Amino acid sequence: MLEPLTPAQIRAYLERIGYVGPTQLTPQTLRQIHLAHLLRVPFENLDIHWGRPIRLERDFLFQKIVRERRGGFCFELNSLLAAALQGMGFLVHLLSGQVSRAVHATRTEPDGHFGPECDHLALQVNCGNEAWLVDVGYGDAFREPLRLGDPGIQAQAEGRYRLIPWPAAPARYWRVQQERPDRTWKTLFLLDRIPRQLQEFEPMCRFHQTSPASRLTRLRLCSLATPSGRITLTASANGSVFKWIETTPEGRRERLLKDEKEYEHLLACAFGIRLPTTSSAPERKMARPTAAPTEARQLSSKPDPKPYPAVPE
């Protein structure tokens, strides 16, 4: 776990996300902070492509996300939120998520193929006798915390979700599922209820920054929830394809951008992010992680270490 944010850092974080409500340790406070964060802080992996190493340290993440008004991916966003909530007095645990392979494959692929342990970082936050799943680092998923241990459908304004215990280990592993428009369910990730230490996520954090096998090294991505949907800006790593995506209650619209200049314009206008100067963006060195991923297999044996990182649809 990161060190808790200081009182001054908490005030700056709440200002960053535009939250001016109460700070009592209640589920309502937790819901409002969760939603405010998603509406102000983008899911983005731009540092990977700008050659800036990502460090899971409190002051580094605070500087980047709060002071520089940037975003990040799950390891960064949920780590900083954990530090803020802990500083406010909430009891927080780090949880491992294994992203579903089917999220990036066909709908007909059997459920049960997942990435490795610690491929995704999520949070358990306790309020009194209730435990909540908190996650501002997945992308297009639930906007309010989900009640842990409840297998029923949990309806929110933007959709319906449920947590289904995995039959082989119902007390430990739960499938986090989202309802599709056709009323079928897709699994977002497999959640392990056993609390983890932050250093357990370091190998996968390095993997996603450096490995050509990671989707995050092959796609520049910046995505932000809006009150009525989501806006997303993507670019291939080699700069050959640029795309703007907007989802609203009326549906999803995509358009190809002309070039890097238009991409940079939208990045600045829609997300407030500008390219770093050359001197502040050292050359990225590709390096393999300490534990190279292998082919995924069913959880009925051991969860497999081939990553399928989550990106907004």
Side-chain angles (χ1 to χ4, degrees):
M1 183 75 71
L2 293 180
E3 294 179 73
L5 294 191
T6 66
Q9 288 176 327
I10 291 172
R11 289 193 295 273
Y13 167 76
L14 295 178
E15 181 181 357
R16 165 74 173 100
I17 66 173
Y19 180 73
V20 294
T23 57
Q24 288 89 349
L25 306 184
T26 66
Q28 180 64 12
T29 297
L30 188 62
R31 283 193 291 269
Q32 292 176 349
I33 289 175
H34 194 276
L35 178 59
H37 183 116
L38 289 171
L39 292 172
R40 287 293 187 94
V41 182
F43 179 100
E44 52 108 332
N45 66 343
L46 299 178
D47 276 354
I48 294 173
H49 299 273
W50 292 344
R52 290 178 158 184
I54 291 167
R55 293 157 45 191
L56 301 183
E57 302 168 10
R58 183 195 66 181
D59 293 343
F60 180 89
L61 295 176
F62 178 81
Q63 175 66 26
K64 175 182 177 179
I65 296 171
V66 177
R67 295 302 186 200
E68 297 178 15
R69 307 188 74 81
R70 290 281 307 284
F73 62 146
C74 69
F75 305 109
E76 302 170 275
L77 299 176
N78 282 326
S79 290
L80 184 67
L81 178 58
L85 293 175
Q86 191 178 18
M88 294 169 64
F90 286 96
L91 178 61
V92 183
H93 298 294
L94 307 183
L95 301 181
S96 166
Q98 298 168 245
V99 177
S100 173
R101 180 175 182 176
V103 170
H104 303 296
T106 65
R107 292 189 178 187
T108 58
E109 182 167 355
D111 195 2
H113 291 73
F114 299 98
E117 296 278 3
C118 297
D119 185 36
H120 178 64
L121 189 158
L123 307 176
Q124 174 179 319
V125 180
N126 291 9
C127 292
N129 295 325
E130 292 184 310
W132 298 87
L133 175 61
V134 168
D135 192 347
V136 295
Y138 187 88
D140 192 9
F142 50 93
R143 297 197 175 190
E144 298 179 6
L146 299 177
R147 185 176 289 104
L148 283 166
D150 180 358
I153 294 174
Q154 301 187 46
Q156 300 184 1
E158 293 76 23
R160 303 203 304 170
Y161 301 87
R162 66 184 185 186
L163 286 80
I164 304 297
W166 187 260
R172 178 171 179 175
Y173 291 103
W174 291 68
R175 284 175 290 174
V176 181
Q177 297 188 322
Q178 180 181 40
E179 189 180 40
R180 298 186 179 100
D182 63 5
R183 299 298 179 90
T184 61
W185 293 86
K186 69 175 180 181
T187 298
L188 303 177
F189 58 91
L190 189 69
L191 181 74
D192 184 353
R193 289 290 306 273
I194 302 299
R196 302 295 188 115
Q197 298 298 315
L198 184 60
Q199 58 265 31
E200 295 181 71
F201 296 90
E202 289 282 359
M204 288 310 300
C205 185
R206 289 196 302 272
F207 175 86
H208 286 305
Q209 294 178 71
T210 60
S211 175
S214 171
R215 183 176 173 84
L216 296 182
T217 63
R218 293 182 277 118
L219 181 72
R220 281 184 273 167
L221 174 66
C222 190
S223 182
L224 183 67
T226 67
S228 60
R230 176 168 289 274
I231 54 173
T232 301
L233 188 62
T234 69
S236 56
N238 62 8
S240 61
V241 179
F242 305 94
K243 187 182 295 185
W244 172 263
I245 305 167
E246 185 174 3
T247 58
T248 67
E250 288 71 41
R252 173 187 171 110
R253 293 179 294 177
E254 297 185 11
R255 72 178 179 90
L256 293 176
L257 307 181
K258 292 181 296 184
D259 51 25
E260 182 93 30
K261 184 176 180 180
E262 186 178 11
Y263 167 85
E264 293 177 9
H265 174 76
L266 285 171
L267 189 64
C269 292
F271 301 98
I273 297 175
R274 289 173 172 79
L275 293 176
T277 61
T278 303
S279 60
S280 65
E283 181 181 359
R284 178 162 64 94
K285 297 180 180 179
M286 298 299 292
R288 295 194 62 80
T290 54
T294 58
E295 189 59 36
R297 59 184 180 273
Q298 294 285 346
L299 181 70
S300 54
S301 55
K302 180 176 175 54
D304 181 276
K306 181 171 181 180
Y308 294 88
V311 297
E313 293 188 338

